[in-house]
Amino acid sequence: MTRNGLPKRQRLIGLWLLLSGVSLFGGAIFAAWLDAQLSPTGPTRVALWLGSFSGGATIFLVGLLLERMLFTPLRHLQVQLARLVANPDARDEHPPEGWLKGLGPDLRKVRESWRIDRNQLATAHADGARSAAKIRRELETLLQVLETPLLLCDHHRRLMLFNQAAEDFFVDNTALGLGKRLEALLPVASLQQALSQLPTDGSPRELLAPCDNRWLKIVLRRVPGSDGETLLTFSDATASWSNEMGVRAELATKLPLLRQHTASLTSAADALIQLRHNGAENPALRQRFEQVIQEEGATLGNNVGQIGQLLDDLQHQGERLTPMWSNDFWQALDERLDPAHRLITPIGMPAWFKGDAPALIVLFDSLVKHLNSHLPVSHFEGEICLGNKRVYLDLIWQGSPLPEHELAKWRRQPLPSLPLNPLVSDVLRQHASDIWSLADDGGLYARLRLPLPAMERVGAPRETAPPRPEFHDFGIADLPPPDEALANRALRSLEVVAFDTETTGLELRRGDTVISLGACRVVNARLLASEVFDQKVDPKRPIPLNSTAIHGLTDADVVGAPPLDIVLARFRDYVGEAVLLAHNAAFDMLAITNKGVVFDLPVIDTLLISRALDEALDGHDLDSLAKRYDLAFPPGTRHTALGDARVTAELWLALLPRLEARGVDTLEQLLALQANAFDRQDASAP
């Protein structure tokens, strides 16, 4: 018998077969002895042999009856009860059977009553929280569309909320996430000091702090009436400095020279006037003053021109000139011209350029309409060509170039849909550019060319991700302090990172290595579906075909991927102070340890937990447990690192209520439970 009262199936069957075999063997020996002693004949001999075998046969038949009518129904009942504890709404796949069939109505009644009570409680909560939910949805919508990056942290400086703008602002920074510490994201001593000195009335305080080769302007506010929560908003101060400080510095150096030349010019003019007023005739002195006036005037004019150019540069570098992806520009222009038809077809390689997007859209809209009145075609091609320091935005059509006088006429047209009703020439001047028409080689096509500032950025823009299903959790403020002993932490308050690896093979001690590492995070007993780590790894060796047949990864899939040491360093940053979670953790930990990155963290193993909870049940692999707890692998995610990690995290959440029901409430108790299971079952695990 196990500690839980129900014997393991293998032991039970072994004992049953052993007793049956011993009884049959003993009966055979006893029958042979009696047959030799008594030498019975006919029916007496048959009865003797049947009686000798009756004990073993009875044991075999009784065992078979107990297995089918009692022990198998008991195991099915145990599975169903475990599923109900983990998820009261799970499917009922194992109704009572055999000798327990009479419990069916009672069990259904208990389950229905349980569901009715839960529904009533849920309805009561819903009625009481409806207005709060409405406010929360409005807040979520507002935060997602708000362009200002913001974070909200509790008095322990754990992140409770962030918006989409903050995620874009700190892109690829693994320290951004619910429950993570603010100092991991911004390890700046001045920020920690400013947080400790914030006034409680909500008055803002500003701070400049370095982060990833840029300077951030941070505005901090203590939330009034809260338990020390702080709101932080961010802006990138580096961009404005790099755009404007250089021009302003040049202006500062030009102004003293301007004053100097103005003073010299004024003095020479005054002296010349005084010379004329006195009537003195001194041709040499007069010529000298005139020469000074001429030289200083020319120098002054040159300086004024340079200052004007600097002012134009300052305008061109302003916030209105923003990066644009050429394909996005052509699509936006197409939608403005005629949303129902495609009038402009992008060709060539797309690229980034810099410009005032609304003004350029209106400019090209006016240009196309002007062209339609002079050209027989209504469909165009759009191409962007790379120059040395500028890019050329070309509008192409089949036919002849547009005459210069038509372009001059178009430059004088106003653009009334823009503020202040500028002319086309004003928008061109804003971009320090002009436009001209030229013929392609062969003379079949012509184009209009507009030079624009180039961008150093390469590659297509990142796809716009859908709004995160989770970007706030105010319950984080109720979690234990971060400095509380980890062993005493309640299981539901643990920050857990579930991870899984895919490898070139199973012989990790003989050269097999990681080719994919996936992980997801559980904070406050809540799976954060979007806060994931998913990275391919270059194994520096071919991937065997038998391994590809399992996880589907080929050599082509990992070409260009970073090596394992780089991936593990990023993964360690992603984990932070969390507890690691894996299924059959011995294998996955062996795959990532002794690779130059230290993972000195507690490790939870759902395989060992399941064995400790249900020692009498068979099937503790991930597929069996997913079926037992009614967990599903989305199509194509089984045997992928991230897919298996997510199901492992869901399995952990399903096991939590069962652990709590047995008084296993802290991490220390859980590690002791799984250590016992490891000692019994996995002493020789890889």
Side-chain angles (χ1 to χ4, degrees), residues 16 270 500:
W16 165 51
D270 289 341
D500 184 71

Side-chain angles (χ1 to χ4, degrees), residues 409-432:
K409 179 180 178 182
W410 170 69
R411 291 188 189 95
R412 295 191 294 272
Q413 288 185 0
L415 300 174
S417 59
L418 290 178
L420 304 178
N421 196 24
L423 302 178
V424 168
S425 57
D426 296 329
V427 176
L428 295 175
R429 190 180 306 110
Q430 177 195 3
H431 292 82

